[in-house]
Amino acid sequence: MPINKRAIISGALGATASSIGKLALSPESPVPSTCHSYCHIFLNRYYPSETGIEWICPYVSLGTRVICFLCMIGVNLLMVSSFLDGMNESGSVVGTALSTAANFSFSALYGILFFGENVPISWFFGATLIAMGMYLLSSVTLTNDNDKTKTD
């Protein structure tokens, strides 16, 4: 029973891209604020007598947002490529369903692990059903109707 991996990988890449986008664009993102804090620590440690040099720290914060945004675009490009390969591998309906289910599952997993989101126990029941559906869909094999011989 072959597993259609590319559609599942495209869903995981889509969730990864959205998480990177959240890091890049969310006002409460920890990445730019952490870089801003480290910039101040670095400046105070290595340039304690310099005054007026703190102007660079907001640009460091902005630079991390730009880097995260560019990474999001790169991961989205990989996701589209993998999605198209997944649709060729398993058909458009199965490929789309697998990619969507994987994206949903990985987005929730990233939310729990990286963003501290709380998920109710009923969500885990639904996720289990989605995982079972993903397994069933990924085990589908396509047959070609043109291979049947006509009998008159």
Side-chain angles (χ1 to χ4, degrees), residues 79-131:
M79 182 270 304
V80 169
S81 173
S82 178
F83 179 69
L84 292 175
D85 288 343
M87 286 197 321
N88 285 334
E89 185 178 89
S90 59
S92 62
V93 174
V94 174
T96 302
L98 284 172
S99 178
T100 302
N103 190 314
F104 173 77
S105 301
F106 279 98
S107 291
L109 183 66
Y110 290 161
I112 293 168
L113 293 177
F114 301 126
F115 300 108
E117 296 176 359
N118 293 324
V119 178
I121 195 72
S122 60
W123 180 90
F124 288 102
F125 176 70
T128 303
L129 291 176
I130 288 173

Side-chain angles (χ1 to χ4, degrees), residues 1-4 94 98 133-142:
M1 215 184 276
I3 295 179
N4 301 323
V94 174
L98 284 172
M134 282 175 56
Y135 175 75
L136 290 174
L137 282 174
S138 67
S139 62
V140 170
T141 56
L142 297 177

Side-chain angles (χ1 to χ4, degrees), residues 40-50:
H40 280 291
I41 291 169
F42 177 81
L43 290 177
N44 288 335
R45 178 177 289 168
Y46 295 105
Y47 302 101
S49 61
E50 297 287 329

Side-chain angles (χ1 to χ4, degrees), residues 1-67:
M1 215 184 276
I3 295 179
N4 301 323
K5 297 176 189 171
R6 289 188 177 106
I8 296 171
I9 290 170
S10 74
L13 288 171
T16 303
S18 67
S19 295
I20 294 171
K22 187 173 183 177
L23 291 175
L25 302 174
S26 176
E28 56 270 348
S29 174
V31 174
S33 61
T34 302
C35 288
H36 192 271
S37 298
Y38 280 126
C39 178
H40 280 291
I41 291 169
F42 177 81
L43 290 177
N44 288 335
R45 178 177 289 168
Y46 295 105
Y47 302 101
S49 61
E50 297 287 329
T51 57
I53 198 168
E54 292 85 16
W55 62 268
I56 198 166
C57 291
Y59 291 106
V60 170
S61 178
L62 179 64
T64 59
R65 287 186 187 272
V66 169
I67 290 169

